[in-house]
Amino acid sequence: MIKTTTRLPGKRLRGLLGAAILACGALAASGASWAAYNIWTNEYTFPQQDLQSAIATQFPRKLRYMEMFDVNLSNPRLTLDQAANRLTTVVDARIDNKLLMSKPVVGTLSLSSALKYDAASRAVRLDSPAVEKVDIAGVPALYAAQINAIGNAAAEQILKDYPIYTFKPEQLEMNGKHFEPGTITVLNDGIKVEIKPL
């Protein structure tokens, strides 16, 4: 079997590499603090640790539900659900109702969110948040529905449309061409955002 290899002239190869380096500088180093741009796949990637830091700014939070329940949420832990393409935030919850409960109940709420791109603000935002699991001990069955409703209300108030990253204009421009984010994919260690030309 005869193998053939096509070699690029050295000057041309250096030119292509130089263009790639310049493109990386234009799209990534220009303003991204923790977004990494891959020139070969046209994707930005965001590591889990930095996503965690972005969501952590929303906590701790105090909410009041139906003028009856005082809700304290704290200590968010982010996990990535690659199969469902969603982010899950597990938070510690303390729920009190001095009229109906002899003492506050404590446990955790698991809140999941999809992701979307908002062109008007150039932001990747959390979308369609929902409570996935309520794990609170000592809650009478009579209040189970209310506790679940509290979880959904918390997801809506705290996570819905929250921007986890905002692109700078220069991150979406290269060589006079304009780009915009497309498909957003949850990975096992972060997320990736496709960048496509307008």
Side-chain angles (χ1 to χ4, degrees):
M1 181 173 68
I2 299 175
K3 294 183 179 179
T4 60
T5 303
T6 302
R7 295 179 180 273
L8 287 172
K11 185 176 181 181
R12 184 182 175 193
L13 179 59
R14 287 192 297 271
L16 288 174
L17 291 174
I21 292 170
L22 289 174
C24 288
L27 285 170
S30 61
S33 57
W34 46 269
Y37 182 71
N38 187 325
I39 186 67
W40 309 113
T41 61
N42 291 328
E43 294 171 341
Y44 274 101
T45 56
F46 304 83
Q48 181 174 352
Q49 181 178 354
D50 292 320
L51 298 171
Q52 163 78 40
S53 297
I55 290 177
T57 61
Q58 289 294 84
F59 298 91
R61 291 290 289 270
K62 294 183 178 181
L63 307 174
R64 187 162 176 81
Y65 180 70
M66 294 181 61
E67 297 301 320
M68 296 174 61
F69 295 91
D70 294 309
V71 184
N72 289 272
L73 302 175
S74 61
N75 192 27
R77 285 91 70 193
L78 180 69
T79 60
L80 306 176
D81 188 343
Q82 189 173 8
N85 206 44
R86 293 175 71 87
L87 307 183
T88 299
T89 305
V90 180
V91 296
D92 294 336
R94 182 180 185 274
I95 301 172
D96 191 15
N97 183 319
K98 291 181 171 56
L99 295 177
L100 302 177
M101 298 178 178
S102 59
K103 61 179 180 179
V105 294
V106 296
T108 61
L109 298 177
S110 297
L111 314 173
S112 78
S113 306
L115 295 162
K116 67 179 181 181
Y117 176 67
D118 176 37
S121 60
R122 301 188 309 278
V124 176
R125 296 180 179 271
L126 300 179
D127 188 35
S128 302
V131 61
E132 296 292 339
K133 183 180 179 182
V134 176
D135 187 7
I136 297 179
V139 178
L142 178 65
Y143 303 129
Q146 285 91 337
I147 297 298
N148 195 71
I150 288 172
N152 279 310
E156 283 283 317
Q157 292 185 42
I158 298 174
L159 300 179
K160 186 177 181 180
D161 292 328
Y162 178 69
I164 59 171
Y165 187 81
T166 300
F167 288 96
K168 294 185 177 182
E170 57 267 30
Q171 289 179 271
L172 301 176
E173 296 178 9
M174 184 177 66
N175 295 331
K177 296 181 180 179
H178 295 273
F179 295 79
E180 70 173 1
T183 302
I184 302 174
T185 304
V186 176
L187 309 172
N188 60 8
D189 59 353
I191 67 172
K192 65 179 180 180
V193 181
E194 172 196 22
I195 301 297
K196 59 185 182 180
L198 289 172

